[in-house]
Amino acid sequence: MRYELIHAHNPGPYTGAGNNTYLIPGRAPVLIDAGTGDSRHLAGVAAALVQSPSTLLTRILVTHGHVDHASGIGALLAKWPKAVAAKMPWPERDDRYAACWSAIVDGALIAAGDTTLRAVHTPGHAPDHLCFFDEASGILFTGDLVVSGSTVIIPASSGGDLVAYLASLRRVLSLQPVRLLPAHGPAIDDPAALVRQYLVHRQSREDQILAAIRVGVDTVDRLVSHVYEELDEQLVSAARESVLAHLEKLRSEERVRAEANRWVSR
Ligand SMILES: [Zn+2]
């Protein structure tokens, strides 16, 4: 399948060099992820559409309701009013954005360019998170499910869920994709290796947190400084969320419990 990476021009501590969005040209041009409405992003989409057999943008598929993926929807619809804005519903987030969203369900088949994408619900990073799979080529658009050379934030206090995330990674592995196209960073051409590495990493992080709790490291903040060495100050809140995500998983498995703000093993 053909696709073109179009930068969203929104670099920052949580977005790295900024988001990748993808235009799929062809009979039914589709954009995956909306960026943040930067005029250079809109110009990039327009330039890519000029090269497409049909220049009419039919759909904008949003992988999940985080601001760097969804907030550009109003600017895009102002420029391409006939395009359909679509995502899996996450009501309290969706209302923040200037769009009348069309709902995508797990397994939905969506015409994109000259191919058909299948929506794959992959919650964990966000409850509404979708990947889009082109079975013919084995290409999977992965939003924030994975990022090359790093891990993904599981925002435990705002819709993140580590148990769901691990299940989503296994689900993606079972699709046997040949290329992952994430919303941040470069394409990933060894999907199975990266996803297995992610699973191993989370397991070792969990082992580390459990071991720390057993020796009396008992608050989220103390656990953060225990498991993350030399943490950039801008990333402390993300690290807290990740530790909390592990604690919530361990609590759901009845392996730890919380007493006031202290975590103890059971
Ligand atoms: Zn996100």
Side-chain angles (χ1 to χ4, degrees), residues 203-213 223 226-228:
Q203 185 59 52
S204 67
R205 187 67 92 206
E206 176 177 299
D207 295 345
Q208 214 180 353
I209 288 171
L210 257 184
I213 290 173
L223 285 163
H226 187 87
V227 300
Y228 293 91

Side-chain angles (χ1 to χ4, degrees), residues 19 63-69 125-126 129 143-145 152-153 155 184:
N19 283 51
T63 56
H64 62 295
H66 287 163
V67 66
D68 52 326
H69 301 259
H125 170 74
H129 195 282
D144 280 355
L145 185 81
V152 163
I153 298 168
H184 304 274

